[in-house]
Amino acid sequence: MPFFSFNDTLLLATILFSVGLAGVLIRRNMLFMLMSLDIMLNATALVFVGAGARWHDAAGQVMFLLILALAAVETAVGLAIILCLHARGRPTLDADTGNLLQG
């Protein structure tokens, strides 16, 4: 018997996804936006794990591993972009200053 019901898992995933979406829409710092995207990916992974546990299928855990790998790649590429922008002399990590890019 699972510790949490499937409805509880969906509720928690919805709350996590909403927090991540609010972080992407409200925060303008690229680092916080990157962390909010990771929260959103973890919420979707939680839904897959909960669905796999609900229907006794291992596909949920497989999708979790794929989403976890996607989140790792997204974080690595995002941090590389942030470091490249910072190395070129960009004074802030504010996403609204993206129109200042030249060359």
Side-chain angles (χ1 to χ4, degrees):
M1 170 135 189
F3 187 69
F4 291 109
S5 69
F6 185 58
N7 289 334
D8 294 338
T9 305
L10 286 179
L11 180 65
L12 179 62
T14 303
I15 291 170
L16 282 175
F17 193 86
S18 300
V19 167
L21 184 64
V24 168
L25 294 177
I26 294 172
R27 299 299 297 246
R28 299 308 329 154
N29 189 336
M30 285 192 285
L31 196 59
F32 284 109
M33 291 172 72
L34 191 63
M35 289 191 316
S36 297
L37 283 173
D38 282 337
I39 290 173
M40 291 169 63
L41 283 173
N42 283 329
T44 57
L46 180 64
V47 169
F48 279 114
V49 169
R54 165 74 170 90
W55 286 289
H56 306 290
D57 191 12
Q61 283 78 14
V62 172
M63 287 301 296
F64 171 76
L65 290 175
L66 290 174
I67 290 173
L68 194 65
L70 176 71
V73 168
E74 175 252 338
T75 301
V77 169
L79 285 176
I81 291 171
I82 289 171
L83 287 175
C84 285
L85 289 175
H86 184 68
R88 290 187 180 193
R90 190 169 179 180
T92 181
L93 292 178
D94 191 16
D96 290 333
T97 61
N99 60 355
L100 301 177
L101 296 176
Q102 295 177 1

